[in-house]
Amino acid sequence: MTELLPLAIGGTELSKPIIISGPCSAETRDQMLETARRLAATGVTIFRAGIWKPRTKPGGFEGVGEEGLPWLREVKALTGMRTATEVATRAHVEAALKADVDLLWIGARTTANPFAMDEIAAAIAAVNPDVPVLVKNPLNPDLELWIGALQRLYNAGLRRLGVIHRGFSTYGPTTYRNNPLWRIPLELRIRYPRLPIICDPSHIGGRRELIAPLSQQALDMGLDGLIIETHRDPDCAWSDAAQQVTPESLGVILDSLVYRSAPAPAETLAGLRRQIDRLDTELLEVLAKRMDVSREIGEYKRSQHIPVVQSARFGDILSSRVEAGRQLDMSENFIRSIFSAIHEESVRVQLTDTAIHGKSAN
Ligand code: PEP
Ligand code: MN
């Protein structure tokens, strides 16, 4: 994906941070127009509304369907806002583009389906390959599947692509409705630096209180925008009620966010990066020394016929390092993952050396 173009509507590039807001679902003409009018007053310029709603179970509100498309057109005429909706089939694409919807997004459940992605890609390319398309991450934390969906759009000739980070499904109760797993969008940023990433704190948090802190985290990580669900009367929304806010609350949230747009002073940043480079070199040297000691331990265990993995010892290492890490203000998760990786490598080194030794002894 070397020829990506910036997100733009009608030739005008979207300025950053890109803010998209509107109800989870289009419910009624009144609900759409009132929400849009109040949103426009906060300065939001792109209005979202789900016309077709993919629901986990049948029987819930599955969207008003095509009946809602003229309402989006009215929103545009009334407020001047641009409009966005989710498409999941060829018919959705054709109907949405015929109704002059300006931006399309692909829902999390659709991204994971290669046949659906090919069908949608061909349908958009046939009508208007210049339309911007945002691809939500799949429900499961699979970066390759996410990239695969983007490549299907790109291969069909679409260039104005971006993504929406909406968190990943987990089983059982958690703080978030969908775990943010920030390292996945950040890995995507490293692989495709020009691909805009928009954060969806509404679907990550699942609760309106989490929208502001998640939005700030996203901006602090340098993501390019936010898509936030708003409703004229959130508690009465027909879908995702707990995570929607009023347009006025959105205004307060947006005003509270700190945008880091200033370029970093080159000198300070270069100096800090040199410190990081030096510390990383020291870290690597210490790790290499630790592996040398592991090799020696491996030889000793082999000569004494002691098994390589001593689980009690690993348990002791983990708990003492977690405690030491806590004293140094480092999180338990971080220390656990680092020492688990070190232990795994140390076992590998001991086994490899044993295997090599065994071979030469034969
Ligand atoms: C939505 O944006 O309302 C939606 C259905 O999102 P997702 O595909 O992320 O679940
Ligand atoms: Mn929703």
Side-chain angles (χ1 to χ4, degrees):
M1 294 195 287
T2 51
E3 293 163 18
L4 285 171
L5 295 175
L7 293 174
I9 295 177
T12 309
E13 211 175 297
L14 303 184
S15 54
K16 295 193 182 160
I18 297 164
I19 307 290
I20 303 171
S21 187
C24 176
S25 305
E27 299 166 1
T28 64
R29 176 172 175 273
D30 268 6
Q31 168 248 8
M32 290 274 274
L33 295 186
E34 183 183 336
T35 308
R37 202 170 25 74
R38 286 164 53 188
L39 259 180
T42 71
V44 169
T45 57
I46 308 175
F47 181 82
R48 66 150 280 158
I51 295 284
W52 300 277
K53 299 302 298 177
R55 306 309 297 275
T56 304
K57 287 185 178 161
F61 173 59
E62 306 213 311
V64 289
E66 289 196 23
E67 185 191 346
L69 289 171
W71 305 339
L72 276 178
R73 217 191 257 285
E74 280 188 75
V75 162
K76 203 175 348 188
L78 180 78
T79 65
M81 279 192 280
R82 302 299 196 158
T83 55
T85 200
E86 171 174 342
V87 288
T89 66
R90 172 184 300 274
H92 294 169
V93 169
E94 288 169 356
L97 293 182
K98 202 165 151 204
D100 288 331
V101 172
D102 298 293
L103 181 152
L104 304 176
W105 83 81
I106 311 294
R109 291 153 193 81
T110 308
T111 303
N113 181 338
F115 293 132
M117 286 309 305
D118 277 338
E119 177 186 309
I120 293 166
I124 300 173
V127 183
N128 179 9
D130 206 42
V131 76
V133 183
L134 302 177
V135 180
K136 287 197 162 196
N137 61 264
L139 298 175
N140 52 327
D142 184 341
L143 180 57
E144 299 309 320
L145 193 57
W146 197 2
I147 292 174
L150 285 158
Q151 287 171 337
R152 287 174 198 279
L153 297 171
Y154 186 87
N155 291 347
L158 277 61
R159 295 290 177 268
R160 299 202 186 273
L161 301 177
V163 299
I164 297 175
H165 168 228
R166 49 81 77 206
F168 300 88
S169 279
T170 42
Y171 183 68
T174 48
T175 309
Y176 302 107
R177 178 178 179 196
N178 292 290
N179 191 337
L181 298 178
W182 294 104
R183 76 171 87 154
I184 297 181
L186 295 180
E187 169 76 25
L188 187 62
R189 160 100 336 146
I190 292 166
R191 304 246 306 252
Y192 300 100
R194 286 165 53 212
L195 184 69
I197 305 181
I198 290 169
C199 179
D200 178 345
S202 309
H203 287 90
I204 293 176
R207 289 184 285 139
R208 52 184 74 108
E209 315 83 83
L210 293 179
I211 293 176
L214 283 165
S215 299
Q216 187 64 60
Q217 270 182 293
L219 294 177
D220 290 349
M221 277 184 256
L223 301 197
D224 305 282
L226 300 166
I227 178 166
I228 298 177
E229 289 185 339
T230 45
H231 192 284
R232 65 171 174 177
D233 184 3
D235 286 331
C236 296
W238 298 1
S239 59
D240 289 351
Q243 70 193 33
Q244 303 205 56
V245 291
T246 61
E248 294 71 27
S249 305
L250 178 82
V252 172
I253 293 172
L254 294 179
D255 284 345
S256 76
L257 297 175
V258 180
Y259 300 93
R260 302 187 180 195
S261 55
E267 267 311 290
T268 316
L269 198 56
L272 290 170
R273 283 181 174 155
R274 274 196 300 277
Q275 277 187 49
I276 291 280
D277 290 346
R278 207 176 52 241
L279 289 167
D280 282 353
T281 309
E282 282 174 29
L283 262 177
L284 287 168
E285 285 166 2
V286 170
L287 279 174
K289 271 189 212 147
R290 196 186 190 283
M291 289 307 154
D292 284 346
V293 176
S294 284
R295 259 181 216 104
E296 263 183 60
I297 291 182
E299 269 175 41
Y300 178 76
K301 284 179 182 163
R302 181 172 32 74
S303 69
Q304 301 298 312
H305 305 289
I306 301 170
V308 166
V309 179
Q310 304 283 311
S311 54
R313 164 74 178 148
F314 179 52
D316 290 347
I317 290 190
L318 260 192
S319 48
S320 63
R321 301 327 183 241
V322 162
E323 184 45 39
R326 204 193 317 273
Q327 310 269 343
L328 295 167
D329 251 357
M330 284 180 282
S331 80
E332 172 164 349
N333 273 351
F334 174 60
I335 300 296
R336 270 186 189 281
S337 58
I338 284 207
F339 277 92
S340 299
I342 291 177
H343 180 252
E344 197 179 315
E345 179 62 6
S346 167
V347 168
R348 193 190 67 76
V349 158
Q350 294 185 27
L351 289 174
T352 312
D353 282 9
T354 305
I356 290 168
H357 189 95
K359 218 181 218 168
S360 58
N362 280 339

